[in-house]
Amino acid sequence: AYLIRSSRNGLTDYVLSVHQSNEQRRVLQWHYLICLDPITRRFYFRDEQSITHLRFTSFRQLVNDREVRAAIPMTEVLPYAIDFEEE
């Protein structure tokens, strides 16, 4: 399972939280920082070396990308959107 939420770091930062077990580190959740480029208005992973070069116009595009899914194990993408209200 995964969730994208606003980050405490800044107004244009988000976090992809993924529930994936890692027996070596004994953790169940991993967090990946997603930033918004102020010039291009595209999302990208600032700290993930293998995918930092990728840019996305939406979160849906980001979680559906093959390179992202190869670097960050997530469950299958839902075939429909979940509506939510922003603050």
Side-chain angles (χ1 to χ4, degrees):
Y2 60 90
L3 166 75
I4 297 176
R5 61 178 172 78
S6 295
S7 172
R8 295 182 190 138
N9 294 345
L11 297 174
T12 60
D13 293 343
Y14 300 88
V15 175
L16 170 63
S17 297
V18 180
H19 182 81
Q20 62 187 42
S21 62
N22 182 314
E23 291 184 20
Q24 287 181 324
R25 295 188 181 181
R26 295 185 179 189
V27 295
L28 289 177
Q29 293 184 344
W30 293 80
H31 304 284
Y32 304 89
L33 183 63
I34 301 171
C35 296
L36 179 64
D37 184 305
I39 297 170
T40 65
R41 306 292 297 165
R42 293 182 184 265
F43 300 106
Y44 66 97
F45 290 96
R46 187 188 73 192
D47 300 328
E48 301 307 311
Q49 293 295 322
S50 64
I51 53 175
T52 192
H53 64 284
L54 301 174
R55 299 293 185 268
F56 306 97
T57 58
S58 69
F59 291 138
R60 179 175 292 274
Q61 184 185 34
L62 181 146
V63 298
N64 279 299
D65 185 82
R66 287 183 183 184
E67 285 185 70
V68 170
R69 296 181 70 77
I72 301 173
M74 292 182 274
T75 56
E76 290 302 313
V77 177
L78 297 174
Y80 50 86
I82 298 174
D83 294 328
F84 65 94
E85 293 183 21
E86 295 186 45
E87 294 179 14

